[in-house]
Amino acid sequence: MRALGEKHSQNIHQWEGGECGFHYFISCSCGNCDEDNIECSGNPFSTKNVLKCKFHHLAYRMECERRALDAASVIHPEMGRGHSNFCEAHFTVLPHFRAKDQNLSRLHYITSTNCGLVQGNMSWSIKARGEGYHWVMDLYERLKLPVFPAVVEALAKGVQEHITTTTKQQSDEGKKKRVQQKVARAEDQAERKKWGKRQAVQHSYGADDEDEDGVGEEEDPHLIADVEVLWQPMMMEIV
């Protein structure tokens, strides 16, 4: 772990008094060789993501050192990787050092969830801090970002619409309307159940199937006589 954080991350794999013992020093250049049996000329092994920033390198070394102190319970002795699925899936023993897109996706999820929770408490925020409060302006101020007049106007309009909608829903007329909607929905569901029971499925077995296939039907003698009269001249011509 110490070699990983101090040397390997800087693309240094052999140094005086040590080397990286967790990978080969020659990698395949043709793309057809086995990792354990390289037959081509090969290329010197190089780290894919070199930490060029001194700050990131120091942070990486600190994390590796922290893991090295707990290596007996974290690092698998044969695999050389962490036990968690995330570590094994991404081939890293440092779950906190993830790809940038994964970190951004995680932060986006956390931020969206928190924004939804705050927006859901707007009624309480208005009662506690007044109609001039909005969590977006508070967030901008905490982030030291400028709050433009157009943003303030749009947020104020949204607050007024929220107050109007909430007041209308909490009024006696709004409560009565919700009750009527629930009653109408229940009546509609009951009517659907009654209609479903009335629409009995008509199965046809036995004699009904024979009637559909034309077997078992009664023959009309008058119809047969008419057909014979029509076909008799045609049969005489053929003969």
Side-chain angles (χ1 to χ4, degrees), residues 62-225:
M62 293 173 62
E63 182 68 14
C64 288
E65 181 65 26
R66 188 174 71 86
R67 292 290 171 145
L69 297 176
D70 198 23
S73 58
V74 176
I75 307 302
H76 194 280
E78 296 180 0
M79 295 177 60
R81 300 171 185 164
H83 293 286
S84 65
N85 293 333
F86 193 93
C87 296
E88 294 176 6
H90 292 271
F91 302 98
T92 175
V93 294
L94 303 176
H96 294 292
F97 282 82
R98 302 169 183 168
K100 184 178 291 185
D101 57 345
Q102 295 173 356
N103 276 323
L104 291 177
S105 298
R106 176 175 172 271
L107 292 175
H108 177 268
Y109 175 79
I110 295 174
T111 304
S112 300
T113 303
N114 292 337
C115 290
L117 294 174
V118 175
Q119 183 65 31
N121 292 320
M122 274 300 297
S123 299
W124 177 87
S125 300
I126 293 173
K127 292 180 180 179
R129 301 193 178 187
E131 297 182 3
Y133 174 81
H134 199 284
W135 64 271
V136 174
M137 290 190 293
D138 189 6
L139 178 63
Y140 280 19
E141 292 176 358
R142 291 171 182 263
L143 295 175
K144 307 299 182 182
L145 296 176
V147 183
F148 297 102
V151 176
V152 176
E153 183 179 355
L155 295 177
K157 183 179 179 181
V159 170
Q160 292 300 325
E161 291 178 354
H162 178 80
I163 294 174
T164 303
T165 304
T166 305
T167 304
K168 186 176 180 180
Q169 291 177 351
Q170 293 178 352
S171 62
D172 295 337
E173 184 179 355
K175 294 179 181 178
K176 183 178 179 180
K177 186 177 181 180
R178 288 199 300 273
V179 172
Q180 292 176 351
Q181 290 176 348
K182 292 181 180 179
V183 172
R185 186 163 55 248
E187 292 178 352
D188 182 66
Q189 292 176 354
E191 188 64 27
R192 284 176 177 271
K193 291 181 180 179
K194 293 180 181 179
W195 182 85
K197 292 181 180 179
R198 290 196 302 267
Q199 302 298 321
V201 179
Q202 299 294 335
H203 296 285
S204 58
Y205 300 102
D208 294 337
D209 291 340
E210 293 180 356
D211 293 341
E212 292 178 359
D213 296 335
V215 180
E217 295 180 354
E218 296 182 359
E219 298 179 353
D220 188 355
H222 299 287
L223 181 61
I224 295 175

Side-chain angles (χ1 to χ4, degrees), residues 13-29:
H13 309 291
Q14 289 179 320
W15 59 92
E16 184 178 357
E19 62 182 16
C20 292
F22 47 88
H23 63 79
Y24 297 102
F25 300 107
I26 300 296
S27 59
C28 175
S29 59

